[in-house]
Amino acid sequence: MRLEINCQDRLGIAQDILDILVEHEINLRGIEIDEMGKIFLNFPNMEFSELQHLMPKIRKIDGIKDVKTAPFMPIEREQYQLQTLLKTLPDPVFSVNTKGEIILTNDAVLIHLSLPREKVIGVHIGDLLKGFNISRWLETDEPQVQVQKIRFLEQDYLVDMLPVLVPDIGGESIMAGAVFLLKSEYRLGQQLTAFNQGVADSFVSIQAESKAMRSVVKDAKRMAELDESIMMFGETGTGKKHLAKACHEVSSNRGGKFIVADCRVLSDKEACIELLGENDDNLGLLDLANGGTLFLDEVADLPSGIQTKFLKILQSGYYQRVGESNSRLFEVRIISSTQKDLGALVQEGSFSEDLFYQLNVLSLFLPPLRERKSDIIALAERFIKQHSMKLGRQAPRLTKAFIDYLQTYPWPGNIRQLENTLYRTISLLDGNELDKVHIQLPSCSATSSIVYQEFNGSLEDEVKRFEKEILIRLYPSFPSSRQLAKRLGLSHTAVANKLRDYGINKKTVKII
């Protein structure tokens, strides 16, 4: 039970109130006096009849203006507000006493450690945060606010070290402990990059910890500043559209729209109207993308009739709507994508060779997720946080078995499969821990057989035959040893020697 007493500022008034409580044998749990002339009392609940006798006696004290029950003490409200704030913070927060013993944590700490609160309280902070002598900092005469790099559960963090100072009567401050706020070094790096650029860098959202993906992003940033067409190659689900949009957002065309044309669902007639528009009543994708970027998704499936029309538009710089005779200026940046071997399609005649040249001025090759092992967990953590937020729940902790499984699975559907799988897993999850048993994926071997059924030679013979076929398939799109070496991640000399050994050159292989 709590009472709120409005009173005058009179010496001894609090003692008079306490004398009445002693008279009624009330065990006082807490007393609080604020600057507004109020005294708050906290004591065990009592019967209504007893309260009827108590409150009039308090009102008779000289200087008492009013007495009424209160729902909570001011300090209680502040404590619960602080606890609510700590609970919602996504980063770990520790509060310690002057000995470095943990006296308070938020839920993020408990989730990371997979321990109940009572197992964490009393633990020395130095047992959890490595890389800096926190005890020595606490023992200094006047600890100052510091930012240090530390390791927590084998991950890098930046920690804000904040001393807790309590004012003394003489105006001095007494050290009562400290608070430690941890922030992910990786996330801070992303925020700092965006801040330094003045605007959010669209490439920041692309996970690129792996060497292969860092190279792709580096090339994409350079190509985005140019006006020529870009062709993106990669398996389904590798993030080609996401990368294309990032290129658009930093290009000279960023003031226009980013329009997507799915070439897989178009017939010749539909493609004409959808791309070119029809009279003034039906705007086409070229109209909508005017001054911006048109992304041709899976361009290998563009109908043959449209390939011819589109080639003329790219060559002339003008287009006509269906049913119109006047020409319109074509001012659109083209970015295309495909998961198919366009070089082979050109050779067999199903894709226009000239159109290929027009679209493939600049090339980007997105590696499959199985070749980006160091990106998988970072991507998974990002998707888990995003999905958890959408579902209104706290992001669960990942067990080692879960992490190991994510890294060993080959992900034939790449990033799209990873994101969809995690959304389904989070949606059905009970509890705050993700283990291997919670994820459901189809059986899929991490390797595929490259040995022919008619295998009848040595291992060296089969390796050479496979290597030769790979080089023959890639050479039309990379008709120089330097281009091909960059694509394969090999030295120029090594690739030049292999091309010579296998007799692969512009005379023996048709160049597209």
Side-chain angles (χ1 to χ4, degrees), residues 142-188:
E142 294 183 0
Q144 300 298 312
V145 175
Q146 288 193 33
V147 178
Q148 292 289 339
K149 182 175 180 179
I150 57 95
R151 296 277 291 176
F152 175 54
L153 297 179
E154 303 304 321
Q155 295 186 28
D156 290 327
Y157 286 86
L158 292 179
V159 57
D160 289 330
M161 302 166 53
L162 310 171
V164 176
L165 303 176
V166 178
D168 195 7
I169 298 176
E172 299 291 331
S173 294
I174 300 174
M175 178 80 167
V179 173
F180 299 88
L181 288 80
L182 277 61
K183 293 187 177 181
S184 165
E185 194 172 41
Y186 169 73
R187 185 157 60 85
L188 284 176

Side-chain angles (χ1 to χ4, degrees), residues 301-365:
D301 291 333
L302 193 66
S304 57
I306 298 301
Q307 291 182 29
T308 303
K309 292 180 182 295
F310 207 67
L311 175 61
K312 291 180 180 178
I313 293 172
L314 294 176
Q315 290 174 334
S316 66
Y318 292 90
Y319 70 99
Q320 292 178 333
R321 290 179 181 171
V322 176
E324 285 190 354
S325 57
N326 60 308
S327 297
R328 300 173 183 270
L329 184 62
F330 180 74
E331 295 181 305
V332 179
R333 171 80 175 276
I334 300 296
I335 301 180
S336 309
S337 76
T338 184
Q339 60 175 309
K340 298 181 179 179
D341 187 346
L342 268 187
L345 296 179
V346 168
Q347 288 189 13
E348 68 185 33
S350 59
F351 196 87
S352 167
E353 181 176 350
D354 291 334
L355 180 58
F356 180 86
Y357 276 123
Q358 290 285 341
L359 299 177
N360 193 32
V361 178
L362 303 171
S363 301
L364 287 170
F365 295 83

Side-chain angles (χ1 to χ4, degrees), residues 219-499:
D219 290 343
K221 287 182 177 181
R222 293 175 178 174
M223 294 179 185
E225 298 174 354
L226 307 175
D227 295 327
E228 285 79 6
S229 300
I230 300 176
M231 177 75 75
M232 295 184 177
F233 298 89
E235 296 177 6
T236 181
T238 49
K240 298 184 288 295
K241 182 165 69 173
H242 189 60
L243 183 61
K245 190 172 183 181
C247 289
H248 163 75
E249 290 174 351
V250 297
S251 71
S252 58
N253 293 52
R254 59 183 175 272
K257 294 181 179 180
F258 178 78
I259 302 298
V260 178
D262 190 347
C263 302
R264 291 165 294 191
V265 298
L266 299 176
S267 64
D268 278 332
K269 184 177 180 181
E270 290 172 341
C272 271
I273 296 176
E274 185 164 349
L275 288 174
L276 304 176
E278 188 174 18
N279 299 317
D280 290 327
D281 303 326
N282 188 6
L283 295 180
L285 295 178
L286 299 187
D287 296 312
L288 298 174
N290 186 41
T293 301
L294 178 63
F295 178 63
L296 299 175
D297 193 10
E298 198 46 69
V299 70
D301 291 333
L302 193 66
S304 57
I306 298 301
Q307 291 182 29
T308 303
K309 292 180 182 295
F310 207 67
L311 175 61
K312 291 180 180 178
I313 293 172
L314 294 176
Q315 290 174 334
S316 66
Y318 292 90
Y319 70 99
Q320 292 178 333
R321 290 179 181 171
V322 176
E324 285 190 354
S325 57
N326 60 308
S327 297
R328 300 173 183 270
L329 184 62
F330 180 74
E331 295 181 305
V332 179
R333 171 80 175 276
I334 300 296
I335 301 180
S336 309
S337 76
T338 184
Q339 60 175 309
K340 298 181 179 179
D341 187 346
L342 268 187
L345 296 179
V346 168
Q347 288 189 13
E348 68 185 33
S350 59
F351 196 87
S352 167
E353 181 176 350
D354 291 334
L355 180 58
F356 180 86
Y357 276 123
Q358 290 285 341
L359 299 177
N360 193 32
V361 178
L362 303 171
S363 301
L364 287 170
F365 295 83
L366 278 73
L369 191 56
R370 60 184 172 275
E371 295 178 9
R372 300 170 53 190
K373 294 292 186 182
S374 55
D375 290 331
I376 292 176
I377 300 306
L379 281 167
E381 289 178 339
R382 180 191 301 174
F383 294 145
I384 288 171
K385 287 181 180 178
Q386 290 174 351
H387 297 329
S388 297
M389 187 176 297
K390 290 178 183 177
L391 295 168
R393 59 167 298 157
Q394 196 158 28
R397 173 185 174 273
L398 312 185
T399 66
K400 186 178 184 302
F402 185 84
I403 291 174
D404 291 342
Y405 184 64
L406 292 186
Q407 291 181 313
T408 55
Y409 191 77
W411 300 108
N414 294 292
I415 299 174
R416 186 182 300 122
Q417 183 188 18
L418 174 65
E419 181 175 10
N420 293 342
T421 298
L422 291 175
Y423 180 75
R424 181 174 62 251
T425 304
I426 295 294
S427 300
L428 301 176
L429 179 67
D430 290 327
N432 290 315
E433 184 175 86
L434 265 180
D435 200 5
K436 179 181 176 180
V437 297
H438 297 126
I439 193 168
Q440 297 180 1
L441 285 166
S443 299
C444 186
S445 174
T447 59
S448 58
S449 175
I450 61 173
V451 180
Y452 301 93
Q453 290 184 354
E454 63 271 22
F455 171 75
N456 192 25
S458 66
L459 176 61
E460 183 179 1
D461 292 337
E462 289 303 315
V463 170
K464 286 183 177 180
R465 179 161 62 171
F466 178 71
E467 187 176 62
K468 181 178 180 180
E469 289 202 359
I470 291 293
L471 293 173
I472 289 175
R473 290 185 62 187
L474 291 176
Y475 189 73
S477 300
F478 307 91
S480 77
S481 56
R482 292 191 181 278
Q483 293 179 20
L484 193 52
K486 183 177 180 181
R487 169 67 181 93
L488 295 172
L490 300 173
S491 69
H492 163 245
T493 303
V495 171
N497 290 337
K498 292 180 184 295
L499 293 177

